[in-house]
Amino acid sequence: MATQLPPVAPAAQGGGVPLVATKPKSSKARRRLLKASDPFAEQNSLLRQDMAKGLDDILELHNPVEMSSLCGSLGIDIDLPIEEMKAEVRRYVQSHKAKENGTHVERNYHEVLKVVWEGVLFEYLRSVGQPLHSNHLDPRTFVARYWKKRATDPKNRLFVPYYTGREVRNCHENGDYKDDDLEMVLDDVETKEITVKKMETIMRKERDYRHILNFLNAVKELRDAEKSHRDYLILQVEKLRSVHGHWISSQKIMEEQTEELEQRLAAFEDNYVFDLAAREASVENLG
């Protein structure tokens, strides 16, 4: 069976290597390449996440009447239960997002913000710590600005918790659970005690001074082992006391730092409220 070769372009007049015609890249591959080389791809992704979460929070603030009004403005069936209406609004935004090519993602939500009641937006801004104290300001502009600020400012990014696994080893009341070093200590003492009892039994049965020497030697080994293990256990207790004291002092320092941070936060809130009131007063005077 003959193999079909790709079409070959004619060589140049001066003679050269013929050029093989290559198939142009698909639109999907081109979009992936552009997305990989886009320096704002991560920022747009964070912006979409913040907008999606912000829209969910705004929808949760709607009562059934407000939700029906919003769905009616978007052309969604208003006879659905409130949870289904919220899901339809989310699908409405997602369907409009599919028409976009990944840029200017804030436009996907402006259509919804345009028909949201202003009272809900005022309440949302208050819940996220960005209250507006003047009804002359458009809350839709500040909601979009707040979402964009969270995505562009690294300090305002969402906190992603990281957890480190910690194993808590409890001591059982029946004493079945022991560490390896404690098991070794107990086994060593038990073995030497058995040897001492055995030597004592042999010494009582046979009247021979050699058995007496063996018994005394076994007793000496038992006492030496007990002293060695006792010193080891005392050292472990001292280490545990040192670690425990270190954690207590660290906890006290952390409590003092937490109290200091609470005081600084209260002072910052007072200064922020005072500065915000002064700015709004100047805006009203200019108006």
Side-chain angles (χ1 to χ4, degrees):
M1 181 176 178
T3 304
Q4 185 177 2
L5 297 176
V8 179
Q13 296 181 359
V17 180
L19 301 176
V20 179
T22 57
K23 186 178 179 180
K25 295 183 179 180
S26 63
S27 58
K28 292 184 179 179
R30 187 180 298 106
R31 285 197 298 267
R32 287 197 297 267
L33 180 61
L34 292 175
K35 184 177 180 180
S37 59
D38 186 6
F40 301 102
E42 181 181 0
Q43 175 180 329
N44 292 336
S45 176
L46 293 173
L47 180 58
R48 284 190 287 269
Q49 294 177 9
D50 287 341
M51 283 186 166
K53 183 180 182 303
L55 180 61
D56 291 340
D57 296 339
I58 290 175
L59 293 178
E60 291 298 328
L61 296 175
H62 281 72
N63 57 32
V65 177
E66 296 167 351
M67 200 69 214
S68 300
S69 176
L70 173 62
C71 292
S73 302
L74 296 176
I76 301 174
D77 187 6
I78 63 175
D79 295 330
L80 298 174
I82 184 171
E83 294 300 328
E84 294 186 10
M85 286 192 289
K86 293 178 182 178
E88 289 295 330
V89 173
R90 296 186 185 98
R91 280 193 288 269
Y92 176 87
V93 175
Q94 294 294 331
S95 64
H96 279 62
K97 285 175 64 177
K99 299 178 182 178
E100 298 288 342
N101 59 359
T103 60
H104 305 292
V105 292
E106 62 270 14
R107 297 178 183 175
N108 304 324
Y109 293 85
H110 283 178
E111 294 185 13
V112 178
L113 291 179
K114 288 179 182 178
V115 295
V116 173
W117 182 48
E118 293 182 352
V120 175
L121 298 179
F122 277 109
E123 182 66 20
Y124 169 72
L125 290 172
R126 188 191 63 81
S127 65
V128 296
Q130 304 291 332
L132 293 179
H133 302 284
S134 177
N135 56 0
H136 299 289
L137 304 175
D138 187 7
R140 298 175 181 83
T141 304
F142 285 90
V143 169
R145 187 184 302 174
Y146 170 71
W147 288 343
K148 194 168 185 178
K149 181 180 179 182
R150 287 181 60 87
T152 55
D153 191 355
K155 297 180 180 179
N156 295 324
R157 291 185 181 179
L158 297 176
F159 171 71
V160 180
Y162 292 92
Y163 298 98
T164 303
R166 184 179 63 179
E167 180 183 3
V168 180
R169 307 175 67 178
N170 298 324
C171 298
H172 297 278
E173 296 180 357
N174 53 11
D176 295 337
Y177 185 89
K178 299 180 182 67
D179 289 334
D180 295 337
D181 55 346
L182 297 182
E183 290 284 355
M184 182 187 65
V185 169
L186 295 177
D187 292 342
D188 187 28
V189 173
E190 184 179 3
T191 301
K192 287 181 169 51
E193 286 179 347
I194 293 174
T195 303
V196 170
K197 291 179 181 179
K198 183 179 179 180
M199 292 296 103
E200 184 181 2
T201 303
I202 295 175
M203 181 186 65
R204 292 180 182 277
K205 288 182 179 181
E206 301 179 9
R207 303 292 181 175
D208 191 343
Y209 75 95
R210 291 175 296 180
H211 299 310
I212 298 175
L213 293 177
N214 291 335
F215 170 74
L216 295 176
N217 188 29
V219 173
K220 179 180 180 301
E221 292 180 357
L222 175 61
R223 297 293 178 261
D224 292 341
E226 289 178 347
K227 182 180 182 304
S228 175
H229 297 322
R230 184 168 55 250
D231 294 340
Y232 171 76
L233 294 177
I234 291 174
L235 179 62
Q236 293 298 317
V237 171
E238 291 178 350
K239 288 183 178 180
L240 291 177
R241 286 181 176 178
S242 176
V243 173
H244 181 63
H246 170 71
W247 284 113
I248 289 178
S249 60
S250 299
Q251 183 179 1
K252 290 181 179 179
I253 294 175
M254 186 177 297
E255 290 176 355
E256 294 176 356
Q257 292 178 347
T258 303
E259 184 178 358
E260 181 183 358
L261 290 176
E262 290 178 352
Q263 295 176 358
R264 293 174 62 182
L265 177 61
F268 173 77
E269 290 177 351
D270 295 339
N271 294 332
Y272 177 76
V273 171
F274 179 79
D275 182 63
L276 182 61
R279 291 188 179 184
E280 291 184 354
S282 62
V283 171
E284 292 179 356
N285 293 332
L286 293 176

